[in-house]
Amino acid sequence: MTDECFGHPRLAAIYDPLDPDRGDLDAYVQMTEEFGARQVLDIGCGTGVFALLLAERGIEVVGVDPAQASIDVARAKRGGERVRWICGDATTLPPMRADLATMTANAAQQILDPQAWRETLRGAYEALQPGGRLVFETRDPARRAWEEWNREASYRVTEIPDVGPVESWVQVIEVSEPLVTFRWTYVFAADGEVMTSDSTLRFRERQEVETELIAQGYVVEDVRDAPDRPGKEFVFVARRP
């Protein structure tokens, strides 16, 4: 099951206009250059923003995501033909030898089930060639980011070309650590339709993540700070020996 904001065609089509600032991806682009990666697997690629950034730089990219509507948006973008798009997840990948695998934004935290998490890490491991790296971020649970997810802080009206004004806001539904569930609401002025999308994220402790990476065969090379959100997230760099 995918969240409606990624899986419903009407919501997937407005995902980028509602979140236009993707400065969080700069660090991933820089790490791609740092590691000299030429073949990249983007797990949870969504609407393809990061995959297309890399493709523009001449990098061979495979973007995988379980939401067909998001893949359709990504494929239709300019340059979309440069990327190999797969509707699925890291457990159903064709054979490949990537230099780098990534899970940007909330992709890692959206994998809730412990067994699914282990299988995702293993799937990424199998997709990497020896010496290749897996890089992903996850929020530090101690910072309790969800306490700022409310209508007052998030409400906005966005004017979207060919769509019109869209109201949107987020509200936490349930906190049962390590799981946090929240709901986005969207109101389309053009026809008055109100749509909602419920999401749940898993907030993993740093040690928990490192232990599982090692169990799946990785060497944890580094745990970095997210440059755009200092002190709030862990950015893991794990290498396949």
Side-chain angles (χ1 to χ4, degrees):
M1 294 292 292
T2 57
D3 302 343
E4 286 289 275
C5 61
F6 307 115
H8 191 287
R10 190 172 195 185
L11 294 182
I14 65 171
Y15 186 85
D16 291 338
L18 291 181
D19 187 21
D21 181 7
R22 296 309 309 273
D24 60 299
L25 298 177
D26 294 345
Y28 287 90
V29 173
Q30 291 167 9
M31 282 187 282
T32 302
E33 296 173 351
E34 174 186 348
F35 301 137
R38 302 307 303 166
Q39 294 87 30
V40 175
L41 168 64
D42 185 19
I43 301 168
C45 66
T47 57
V49 176
F50 180 59
L52 289 169
L53 280 174
L54 297 185
E56 289 175 0
R57 290 164 170 75
I59 294 171
E60 181 181 331
V61 188
V62 174
V64 59
D65 196 280
Q68 184 64 57
S70 292
I71 290 289
D72 291 342
V73 170
R75 184 179 283 115
K77 290 180 177 179
R78 190 177 74 172
E81 73 283 353
R82 301 176 184 171
V83 177
R84 181 180 181 185
W85 306 106
I86 299 174
C87 185
D89 58 39
T91 69
T92 57
L93 295 169
M96 64 180 69
R97 292 175 60 82
D99 304 310
L100 179 67
T102 60
M103 288 185 281
T104 66
N106 296 328
Q109 288 187 257
Q110 289 172 333
I111 303 167
L112 308 181
D113 177 71
Q115 181 62 27
W117 177 237
R118 288 190 287 270
E119 291 174 357
T120 297
L121 295 179
R122 192 66 198 176
Y125 184 96
E126 297 296 339
L128 291 168
Q129 62 178 328
R133 294 173 175 86
L134 169 65
V135 179
F136 63 92
E137 65 188 70
T138 185
R139 290 181 174 90
D140 182 354
R143 296 304 297 265
R144 302 178 67 84
W146 60 86
E147 293 182 348
E148 301 174 5
W149 299 347
N150 54 69
R151 179 180 172 124
E152 292 72 24
S154 62
Y155 178 84
R156 63 185 182 272
V157 179
T158 306
E159 183 70 39
I160 302 177
D162 301 321
V163 174
V166 177
E167 298 175 70
S168 61
W169 66 88
V170 68
Q171 190 75 43
V172 171
I173 299 173
E174 180 182 5
V175 178
S176 181
E177 295 183 62
L179 302 180
V180 177
T181 301
F182 52 96
R183 174 174 295 154
W184 276 99
T185 299
Y186 310 89
V187 182
F188 292 81
D191 58 9
E193 183 174 13
V194 179
M195 301 184 69
T196 60
S197 177
D198 291 357
S199 300
T200 301
L201 299 181
R202 189 177 189 96
F203 285 75
R204 297 179 177 88
E205 299 287 350
R206 171 175 172 169
Q207 187 58 53
E208 175 188 358
V209 177
E210 291 194 45
T211 298
E212 195 56 62
L213 284 167
I214 292 168
Q216 296 306 320
Y218 292 92
V219 175
V220 180
E221 283 193 334
D222 201 1
V223 182
R224 305 182 179 185
D225 207 8
D228 58 313
R229 293 180 292 278
K232 296 182 178 181
E233 298 191 354
F234 305 121
V235 180
F236 291 90
V237 180
R239 176 173 50 83
R240 174 177 175 169

